[in-house]
Amino acid sequence: MSKIDLNEVSEMQFDILAEIGNIGAGNATTALSQMMNQKLDMRVPQVELLPFDSMSEKFGGEESILVGIMLGLEGDVSGMMMFMFEETSAHHLVNSIMGNDMEKMEPFSEIELSALNEIGNIVSGAYLNSLALLTNLKIISTVPSMAIDMAGAILSVPAIQFGKVGDKVLMIKTQFGDDEFVNGYFLLIPELESYEKILNSLGM
């Protein structure tokens, strides 16, 4: 039985989780910068522990369209991770990579969807690699899956699967870009025992 209660996280525990979020987001931005072959500035990430039922509000409501990349976590850490873009941010990234008109907001083509999926793979992988190095834990990710849907639908997946172990999720909002900043959101959803392993590995 885990000793971690997400409804009663101490200030020190939260600070450590926030630092994990900051480091992971920084590494993910570096990986994306290398993929795009251009320098990306990053603003200081915002880290929050939020109830599942209020997550949609962060994206403008349940009907807001998101691009979500979801993968499972195995090894020393069990759970799930999601990386999400707002639709306009996804278009901005794809247009930048593909050399499109930056104002283009048409439905994604097959090659653009493939580029989005690759962005998700690289960014999520960089985040998890930094977490594994920081904690010295073995973290294996399952094959990612991508969905473009309303926020309510995308967020219902982790809520159903992990709502039984806690009603809160660690969300890291990161903003990065060159001339125009785009928003990306990491949701780290370990099972409670894995939260405990992560904190223990860092001396808590």
Side-chain angles (χ1 to χ4, degrees):
M1 186 74 177
S2 173
K3 299 175 184 176
I4 302 297
D5 183 350
L6 295 183
N7 294 313
E8 298 181 5
V9 173
S10 70
E11 184 176 347
M12 185 175 293
Q13 288 173 331
F14 180 80
D15 286 345
I16 289 177
L17 293 174
E19 186 61 20
I20 291 172
N22 290 337
I23 293 171
N27 283 8
T29 301
T30 298
L32 185 59
S33 176
Q34 292 170 347
M35 176 189 179
M36 298 175 69
N37 197 29
Q38 66 184 62
K39 183 179 183 298
L40 296 179
D41 294 320
M42 186 186 80
R43 295 177 179 172
V44 176
Q46 301 172 22
V47 183
E48 298 179 86
L49 262 176
L50 296 171
F52 274 116
D53 58 12
S54 70
M55 288 295 302
S56 296
E57 298 170 12
K58 291 293 179 178
F59 307 103
E62 292 191 353
E63 296 184 358
S64 299
I65 301 299
L66 299 177
V67 178
I69 291 92
M70 180 173 63
L71 46 89
L73 306 179
E74 300 174 349
D76 292 332
V77 174
S78 300
M80 174 187 291
M81 178 179 168
M82 295 186 73
F83 180 58
M84 295 180 296
F85 294 114
E86 295 166 349
E87 188 178 26
T88 52
S89 293
H91 278 292
H92 181 86
L93 282 171
V94 166
N95 290 339
S96 182
I97 290 173
M98 306 295 294
N100 298 335
D101 179 347
M102 293 305 289
E103 301 300 317
K104 181 176 181 285
M105 292 290 166
E106 299 169 6
F108 296 110
S109 66
E110 286 298 320
I111 192 168
E112 288 171 340
L113 289 173
S114 178
L116 273 177
N117 198 43
E118 186 61 18
I119 289 170
N121 289 345
I122 289 174
V123 168
S124 300
Y127 188 101
L128 290 177
N129 284 341
S130 69
L131 178 59
L133 287 171
L134 189 65
T135 60
N136 202 30
L137 295 172
K138 184 178 182 181
I139 305 175
I140 302 168
S141 65
T142 61
V143 176
S145 60
M146 185 177 73
I148 301 177
D149 207 335
M150 291 187 292
I154 286 182
L155 293 170
S156 68
V157 178
I160 291 170
Q161 186 164 354
F162 291 101
K164 60 182 179 291
V165 299
D167 66 350
K168 290 192 175 181
V169 60
L170 186 70
M171 186 184 82
I172 302 100
K173 176 183 178 182
T174 179
Q175 293 178 296
F176 48 83
D178 41 17
D179 297 326
E180 179 180 340
F181 279 87
V182 299
N183 296 323
Y185 301 84
F186 293 96
L187 301 184
L188 186 61
I189 317 170
E191 295 180 355
L192 289 181
E193 289 78 7
S194 294
Y195 262 121
E196 190 167 0
K197 286 181 183 177
I198 291 170
L199 291 170
N200 286 343
S201 73
L202 297 171
M204 286 295 293

